[in-house]
Amino acid sequence: MKSSIAKSVLAVAAAGLFSVSAVAQDKASSLDQLLKMVQSSKISESAEHKKREADFRRQKANQASLLSQAENTRASEEARSAALEKKYEEQELLVQQKRQQLDERLGSLKELFGHLTSTAGDLRANLQTSLVSAQYPGRAEFLDQLIDKMNSATKLPTIQEIERLWYELQRETVESGKVVKFNTTVILPDGEQAEQEVVRVGNFNIVSDGKYLEMNDNQKLAELIRQPDGKYLSMAADLQAATSGFTPFGVDPTGPSGGSYLKAMIASPSIVERWHQGGIVGYIITGVGVIAVLLAIWRLLVLSGVNAKVNSQLRSSTPNTNNPLGRVLAVAEENKGVDGETLELKMEEAVLKERPAIESGLNLLKIIAMVAPLLGLLGTVTGMIITFQAITIFGAGDPKAMAGGISSALVTTVLGLCVAIPTVLLHTIVNGRAKRILHILDEQSAGIVAENAERK
């Protein structure tokens, strides 16, 4: 370091010398004058160099002093660290002795505290989902403090706190068997909060104003967005209005464990919602089914009227052209003098003319009965396509993502069968009515032909 400093000084001095010489050479008028100017410059630079050397020596002395202070500080801190480590080891031994002494003095209380901690933990878990907590809030906080004390190495629970644990256990058991009314804050479906009178049925259900309530994660009562069937709501309203005696009420048996049965019951879609799950294919199947039913009803009404007129014609000897049988008999009356073969042809022609009107709509009903299951199969295929698309996007780990496609597939299959089966039955009924009328026409025409042959 000293050699580098010396080199730097020499370089600066040389640069100064050259610069002074250059300046002097510019201003000197002769070589003698230049020599005197160089000599005076050396004297001034020598004084400056001595001053710089003095400054360097002074800084070197200060650095040595600072180094000595740092070494002294390090030695004192090392001594302090050693003293603290020794003290820490002594205190650690003392803590172990105190803990051993505490364990010896606790004796069987340590096992007791373990059972109390387990009991308090189980009770805390029950109180967090208990409907009784809506009437008596704040019980879980006490159990948290009690558990912290029993798990602490510096605190012990008091007799009063242990007795209160026993009291809370008993109160939860007793209140679970009561039907009580009390006022509390209820969160409505629109998010507003209102002070209402509620009825708690043990630890199973809470109702208010004829609506079922649930306890949310914040230990607040909230009205269920979807409610069960109307009969259960009327029972809830009757229970809240009752003052004594027995009142029928729909109780959720899974209420103490979270009310999963009630949630599943109200979450199940209605018939209309299931119908909408069928989508476009389901709407088409429904439209086809409506057409089949209307067509079958219309044909039944028409054939019933025709059948009544044919029966009336059977009881009459005069042909009436307002019914198929009358028109067939009128053809026989018009061709009395012809031979038997010609009359038979005329009668068959008359029956064939009546057949299309009588059998109208039967083929369409048959087609609908065959097409409806195929449409259901189409809905099944499209639903499975939607399901596989959901699996591709969301994976197979979330069943809810696949539920829409599966529901559409199954609902369309059910709709197709629900349309096809009644349509087959209606086709059978309508076809039976038509066959009966045609049988009467064939029978009467054959009788007329036979009678004409006997006369000849």
Side-chain angles (χ1 to χ4, degrees), residues 306-322:
V306 172
N307 187 48
K309 292 178 180 179
V310 169
N311 291 333
S312 176
Q313 182 64 56
L314 288 174
R315 295 189 295 269
S316 175
S317 59
T318 303
N320 192 347
T321 57
N322 67 346

PDB file of all heavy atoms in Angstrom, residues 306-322:
ATOM      1  N   VAL A 306    -118.182 -41.291 -35.647  1.00  0.00           N
ATOM      2  CA  VAL A 306    -118.463 -42.161 -36.788  1.00  0.00           C
ATOM      3  C   VAL A 306    -119.051 -43.487 -36.329  1.00  0.00           C
ATOM      4  O   VAL A 306    -119.997 -44.015 -36.938  1.00  0.00           O
ATOM      5  CB  VAL A 306    -117.173 -42.392 -37.605  1.00  0.00           C
ATOM      6  CG1 VAL A 306    -117.402 -43.449 -38.679  1.00  0.00           C
ATOM      7  CG2 VAL A 306    -116.703 -41.088 -38.235  1.00  0.00           C
ATOM      8  N   ASN A 307    -118.514 -44.027 -35.241  1.00  0.00           N
ATOM      9  CA  ASN A 307    -119.012 -45.294 -34.714  1.00  0.00           C
ATOM     10  C   ASN A 307    -120.466 -45.178 -34.273  1.00  0.00           C
ATOM     11  O   ASN A 307    -121.289 -46.096 -34.502  1.00  0.00           O
ATOM     12  CB  ASN A 307    -118.127 -45.736 -33.559  1.00  0.00           C
ATOM     13  CG  ASN A 307    -118.478 -47.128 -33.072  1.00  0.00           C
ATOM     14  OD1 ASN A 307    -118.624 -48.060 -33.868  1.00  0.00           O
ATOM     15  ND2 ASN A 307    -118.616 -47.270 -31.757  1.00  0.00           N
ATOM     16  N   ALA A 308    -120.789 -44.020 -33.642  1.00  0.00           N
ATOM     17  CA  ALA A 308    -122.182 -43.828 -33.211  1.00  0.00           C
ATOM     18  C   ALA A 308    -123.122 -43.765 -34.410  1.00  0.00           C
ATOM     19  O   ALA A 308    -124.222 -44.344 -34.403  1.00  0.00           O
ATOM     20  CB  ALA A 308    -122.280 -42.548 -32.375  1.00  0.00           C
ATOM     21  N   LYS A 309    -122.684 -43.077 -35.482  1.00  0.00           N
ATOM     22  CA  LYS A 309    -123.527 -42.998 -36.676  1.00  0.00           C
ATOM     23  C   LYS A 309    -123.655 -44.352 -37.361  1.00  0.00           C
ATOM     24  O   LYS A 309    -124.729 -44.704 -37.893  1.00  0.00           O
ATOM     25  CB  LYS A 309    -122.950 -41.978 -37.638  1.00  0.00           C
ATOM     26  CG  LYS A 309    -123.030 -40.544 -37.116  1.00  0.00           C
ATOM     27  CD  LYS A 309    -122.396 -39.573 -38.100  1.00  0.00           C
ATOM     28  CE  LYS A 309    -122.466 -38.144 -37.574  1.00  0.00           C
ATOM     29  NZ  LYS A 309    -121.843 -37.175 -38.507  1.00  0.00           N
ATOM     30  N   VAL A 310    -122.574 -45.131 -37.378  1.00  0.00           N
ATOM     31  CA  VAL A 310    -122.639 -46.467 -37.976  1.00  0.00           C
ATOM     32  C   VAL A 310    -123.579 -47.357 -37.181  1.00  0.00           C
ATOM     33  O   VAL A 310    -124.381 -48.126 -37.761  1.00  0.00           O
ATOM     34  CB  VAL A 310    -121.222 -47.074 -38.042  1.00  0.00           C
ATOM     35  CG1 VAL A 310    -121.287 -48.556 -38.400  1.00  0.00           C
ATOM     36  CG2 VAL A 310    -120.383 -46.321 -39.070  1.00  0.00           C
ATOM     37  N   ASN A 311    -123.530 -47.285 -35.866  1.00  0.00           N
ATOM     38  CA  ASN A 311    -124.459 -48.077 -35.048  1.00  0.00           C
ATOM     39  C   ASN A 311    -125.903 -47.666 -35.296  1.00  0.00           C
ATOM     40  O   ASN A 311    -126.821 -48.515 -35.326  1.00  0.00           O
ATOM     41  CB  ASN A 311    -124.105 -47.915 -33.575  1.00  0.00           C
ATOM     42  CG  ASN A 311    -122.788 -48.583 -33.216  1.00  0.00           C
ATOM     43  OD1 ASN A 311    -122.382 -49.558 -33.868  1.00  0.00           O
ATOM     44  ND2 ASN A 311    -122.111 -48.085 -32.190  1.00  0.00           N
ATOM     45  N   SER A 312    -126.088 -46.362 -35.483  1.00  0.00           N
ATOM     46  CA  SER A 312    -127.453 -45.906 -35.792  1.00  0.00           C
ATOM     47  C   SER A 312    -127.906 -46.423 -37.158  1.00  0.00           C
ATOM     48  O   SER A 312    -129.082 -46.774 -37.347  1.00  0.00           O
ATOM     49  CB  SER A 312    -127.488 -44.368 -35.755  1.00  0.00           C
ATOM     50  OG  SER A 312    -128.760 -43.888 -36.136  1.00  0.00           O
ATOM     51  N   GLN A 313    -126.968 -46.453 -38.106  1.00  0.00           N
ATOM     52  CA  GLN A 313    -127.296 -46.957 -39.439  1.00  0.00           C
ATOM     53  C   GLN A 313    -127.621 -48.444 -39.406  1.00  0.00           C
ATOM     54  O   GLN A 313    -128.474 -48.921 -40.175  1.00  0.00           O
ATOM     55  CB  GLN A 313    -126.115 -46.703 -40.377  1.00  0.00           C
ATOM     56  CG  GLN A 313    -126.369 -47.141 -41.812  1.00  0.00           C
ATOM     57  CD  GLN A 313    -127.490 -46.362 -42.463  1.00  0.00           C
ATOM     58  OE1 GLN A 313    -127.448 -45.140 -42.514  1.00  0.00           O
ATOM     59  NE2 GLN A 313    -128.532 -47.057 -42.953  1.00  0.00           N
ATOM     60  N   LEU A 314    -126.995 -49.189 -38.510  1.00  0.00           N
ATOM     61  CA  LEU A 314    -127.290 -50.613 -38.402  1.00  0.00           C
ATOM     62  C   LEU A 314    -128.732 -50.851 -37.963  1.00  0.00           C
ATOM     63  O   LEU A 314    -129.343 -51.870 -38.324  1.00  0.00           O
ATOM     64  CB  LEU A 314    -126.318 -51.276 -37.412  1.00  0.00           C
ATOM     65  CG  LEU A 314    -124.865 -51.435 -37.873  1.00  0.00           C
ATOM     66  CD1 LEU A 314    -123.999 -51.969 -36.729  1.00  0.00           C
ATOM     67  CD2 LEU A 314    -124.791 -52.381 -39.079  1.00  0.00           C
ATOM     68  N   ARG A 315    -129.237 -49.923 -37.186  1.00  0.00           N
ATOM     69  CA  ARG A 315    -130.626 -50.084 -36.716  1.00  0.00           C
ATOM     70  C   ARG A 315    -131.653 -49.516 -37.692  1.00  0.00           C
ATOM     71  O   ARG A 315    -132.858 -49.611 -37.453  1.00  0.00           O
ATOM     72  CB  ARG A 315    -130.780 -49.397 -35.354  1.00  0.00           C
ATOM     73  CG  ARG A 315    -129.955 -50.045 -34.249  1.00  0.00           C
ATOM     74  CD  ARG A 315    -130.318 -49.454 -32.907  1.00  0.00           C
ATOM     75  NE  ARG A 315    -129.954 -48.042 -32.819  1.00  0.00           N
ATOM     76  CZ  ARG A 315    -128.778 -47.593 -32.361  1.00  0.00           C
ATOM     77  NH1 ARG A 315    -127.842 -48.477 -31.976  1.00  0.00           N
ATOM     78  NH2 ARG A 315    -128.535 -46.309 -32.311  1.00  0.00           N
ATOM     79  N   SER A 316    -131.187 -48.917 -38.777  1.00  0.00           N
ATOM     80  CA  SER A 316    -132.091 -48.299 -39.744  1.00  0.00           C
ATOM     81  C   SER A 316    -132.050 -49.079 -41.059  1.00  0.00           C
ATOM     82  O   SER A 316    -131.007 -49.608 -41.455  1.00  0.00           O
ATOM     83  CB  SER A 316    -131.705 -46.832 -39.983  1.00  0.00           C
ATOM     84  OG  SER A 316    -132.504 -46.257 -41.005  1.00  0.00           O
ATOM     85  N   SER A 317    -133.149 -49.116 -41.752  1.00  0.00           N
ATOM     86  CA  SER A 317    -133.218 -49.814 -43.048  1.00  0.00           C
ATOM     87  C   SER A 317    -133.002 -48.873 -44.221  1.00  0.00           C
ATOM     88  O   SER A 317    -132.855 -49.323 -45.362  1.00  0.00           O
ATOM     89  CB  SER A 317    -134.585 -50.505 -43.200  1.00  0.00           C
ATOM     90  OG  SER A 317    -135.645 -49.546 -43.117  1.00  0.00           O
ATOM     91  N   THR A 318    -132.997 -47.584 -43.968  1.00  0.00           N
ATOM     92  CA  THR A 318    -132.812 -46.593 -45.031  1.00  0.00           C
ATOM     93  C   THR A 318    -131.387 -46.072 -44.992  1.00  0.00           C
ATOM     94  O   THR A 318    -130.915 -45.605 -43.942  1.00  0.00           O
ATOM     95  CB  THR A 318    -133.778 -45.411 -44.837  1.00  0.00           C
ATOM     96  OG1 THR A 318    -135.122 -45.905 -44.799  1.00  0.00           O
ATOM     97  CG2 THR A 318    -133.619 -44.405 -45.972  1.00  0.00           C
ATOM     98  N   PRO A 319    -130.622 -46.134 -46.078  1.00  0.00           N
ATOM     99  CA  PRO A 319    -129.229 -45.631 -46.073  1.00  0.00           C
ATOM    100  C   PRO A 319    -129.178 -44.135 -45.833  1.00  0.00           C
ATOM    101  O   PRO A 319    -129.984 -43.378 -46.378  1.00  0.00           O
ATOM    102  CB  PRO A 319    -128.725 -45.990 -47.467  1.00  0.00           C
ATOM    103  CG  PRO A 319    -129.642 -47.045 -47.977  1.00  0.00           C
ATOM    104  CD  PRO A 319    -130.988 -46.764 -47.386  1.00  0.00           C
ATOM    105  N   ASN A 320    -128.226 -43.724 -45.028  1.00  0.00           N
ATOM    106  CA  ASN A 320    -127.993 -42.315 -44.716  1.00  0.00           C
ATOM    107  C   ASN A 320    -126.546 -41.987 -45.071  1.00  0.00           C
ATOM    108  O   ASN A 320    -125.613 -42.627 -44.582  1.00  0.00           O
ATOM    109  CB  ASN A 320    -128.256 -42.044 -43.244  1.00  0.00           C
ATOM    110  CG  ASN A 320    -128.307 -40.550 -42.929  1.00  0.00           C
ATOM    111  OD1 ASN A 320    -127.920 -39.719 -43.761  1.00  0.00           O
ATOM    112  ND2 ASN A 320    -128.786 -40.216 -41.748  1.00  0.00           N
ATOM    113  N   THR A 321    -126.360 -41.017 -45.915  1.00  0.00           N
ATOM    114  CA  THR A 321    -125.019 -40.730 -46.421  1.00  0.00           C
ATOM    115  C   THR A 321    -124.134 -39.949 -45.431  1.00  0.00           C
ATOM    116  O   THR A 321    -123.025 -39.530 -45.806  1.00  0.00           O
ATOM    117  CB  THR A 321    -125.124 -39.931 -47.727  1.00  0.00           C
ATOM    118  OG1 THR A 321    -125.871 -38.727 -47.496  1.00  0.00           O
ATOM    119  CG2 THR A 321    -125.810 -40.760 -48.822  1.00  0.00           C
ATOM    120  N   ASN A 322    -124.592 -39.740 -44.230  1.00  0.00           N
ATOM    121  CA  ASN A 322    -123.767 -39.012 -43.246  1.00  0.00           C
ATOM    122  C   ASN A 322    -122.798 -39.934 -42.513  1.00  0.00           C
ATOM    123  O   ASN A 322    -122.127 -39.501 -41.581  1.00  0.00           O
ATOM    124  CB  ASN A 322    -124.650 -38.278 -42.244  1.00  0.00           C
ATOM    125  CG  ASN A 322    -125.437 -39.234 -41.353  1.00  0.00           C
ATOM    126  OD1 ASN A 322    -125.519 -40.446 -41.648  1.00  0.00           O
ATOM    127  ND2 ASN A 322    -126.032 -38.706 -40.301  1.00  0.00           N
TER     128      ASN A 322
END
